[in-house]
């Protein structure tokens, strides 16, 4: 089955590929591979003159972050720290480069739609399809996907450009959640499609 994307009506939405991604361990892909795949997507969409949205989470004082009362998580579900977070932890990773037409969204919760101008920016450009990638698969990406689903967008998920705290969390979302809201595709397939070179598709997690 062929896989095609209309570059004029498709946007790339990159979730939380910030400097902090190197301060904790994520799975199932090597983090540098996720960054490399994301960079390929960003460059392909820029070259196609498609809309690129870079999403980060940040706060001036932390008071606008959600802080509900929760049960403590088992230690196995907590991210394994590799290094101290840099002071500029919320900056978009420099490897992604920059372009004057990129749109930066700063969120204060898991999802990129609530409390931001993301939906407005997409609709004003007549965009009906978004390609999602980033970190983490089952938190920032999945929450944004659920919000996009409820807003009526078609979605494509570059699951080889995603990571989670654990392989189990990543695969659960890619196997049971994302396919209910859109299509699972590889970075290779998405780059070819947005470049106008559709190729046969195959599922990736």
């Amino acid at each position: 089955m062929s896989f095609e994307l209309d570059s004029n009506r498709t946007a790339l939405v990159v979730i939380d590929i910030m400097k902090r991604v190197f301060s904790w361990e994520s799975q199932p892909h090597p983090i540098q591979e996720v960054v490399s795949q994301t960079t390929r997507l960003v460059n392909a969409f820029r070259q196609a003159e498609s809309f690129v949205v870079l999403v980060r989470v940040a706060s001036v004082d932390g008071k606008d972050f959600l802080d509900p009362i929760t049960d403590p998580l088992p230690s196995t579900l907590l991210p394994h720290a590799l290094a101290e977070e840099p002071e500029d932890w919320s900056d978009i990773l420099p490897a992604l480069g920059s372009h004057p037409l990129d749109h930066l969204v700063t969120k204060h919760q898991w999802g990129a739609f609530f409390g931001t101008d993301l939906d407005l920016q997409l609709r004003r450009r007549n965009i009906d399809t978004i390609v999602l990638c980033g970190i983490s698969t089952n938190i920032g990406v999945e929450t944004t996907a659920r919000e996009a689903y409820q807003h009526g967008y078609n979605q494509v998920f570059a699951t080889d450009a995603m990571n989670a705290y654990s392989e189990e969390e990543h695969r659960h979302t890619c196997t049971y959640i994302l396919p209910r809201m859109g299509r699972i595709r590889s970075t290779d397939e998405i780059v070819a499609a947005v470049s106008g070179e559709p190729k046969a598709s195959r599922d990736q997690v």
Side-chain angles (χ1 to χ4, degrees):
M1 182 174 61
S2 64
F3 171 58
E4 300 179 12
L5 291 172
D6 182 347
S7 60
N8 295 316
R9 304 198 67 177
T10 304
L12 174 67
V13 180
V14 180
I15 303 296
D16 295 347
I17 300 295
M18 307 177 297
K19 291 185 177 180
R20 78 180 310 180
V21 301
F22 289 105
S23 66
W24 47 267
E25 185 177 348
S26 61
Q27 301 293 335
H29 311 291
I31 185 58
Q32 192 55 59
E33 182 178 312
V34 173
V35 172
S36 176
Q37 299 285 49
T38 302
T39 301
R40 289 181 59 213
L41 289 166
V42 167
N43 289 338
F45 273 73
R46 287 173 181 156
Q47 187 171 0
E49 299 183 350
S50 298
F51 193 43
V52 174
V53 181
L54 305 177
V55 180
R56 67 172 190 158
V57 57
S59 176
V60 174
D61 58 8
K63 294 181 178 180
D64 51 1
F65 285 154
L66 297 170
D67 187 26
I69 299 172
T70 64
D71 289 326
L73 285 172
S75 60
T76 54
L77 296 182
L78 296 174
H80 177 64
L82 298 178
E84 290 187 8
E85 289 190 341
E87 291 184 2
D88 53 356
W89 63 270
S90 63
D91 288 357
I92 299 296
L93 206 62
L96 270 58
S98 63
H99 189 280
L101 297 182
D102 291 349
H103 183 63
L104 178 67
V105 167
T106 299
K107 61 187 176 75
H108 308 284
Q109 62 282 318
W110 290 356
F113 279 90
F114 181 81
T116 76
D117 69 344
L118 179 54
D119 183 54
L120 174 69
Q121 295 294 337
L122 295 173
R123 294 191 187 279
R124 294 258 172 113
R125 291 168 172 80
N126 294 315
I127 289 168
D128 60 15
T129 302
I130 63 172
V131 172
L132 269 176
C133 66
I135 293 175
S136 63
T137 310
N138 62 314
I139 298 180
V141 175
E142 182 179 324
T143 303
T144 300
R146 288 174 181 267
E147 292 174 336
Y149 172 78
Q150 293 176 157
H151 279 80
Y153 289 99
N154 296 311
Q155 298 186 78
V156 179
F157 305 108
T159 55
D160 59 353
M162 296 180 192
N163 259 12
Y165 292 150
S166 69
E167 182 172 355
E168 179 183 5
E169 291 170 282
H170 172 85
R171 294 199 179 279
H172 182 276
T173 290
C174 293
T175 302
Y176 298 107
I177 307 299
L178 299 185
R180 297 177 182 270
M181 298 183 287
R183 293 166 287 177
I184 304 294
R185 295 295 184 271
S186 70
T187 294
D188 285 346
E189 291 167 329
I190 295 167
V191 167
V194 80
S195 302
E197 302 173 1
K199 59 190 293 187
S201 64
R202 54 195 178 88
D203 291 345
Q204 298 286 328
V205 294

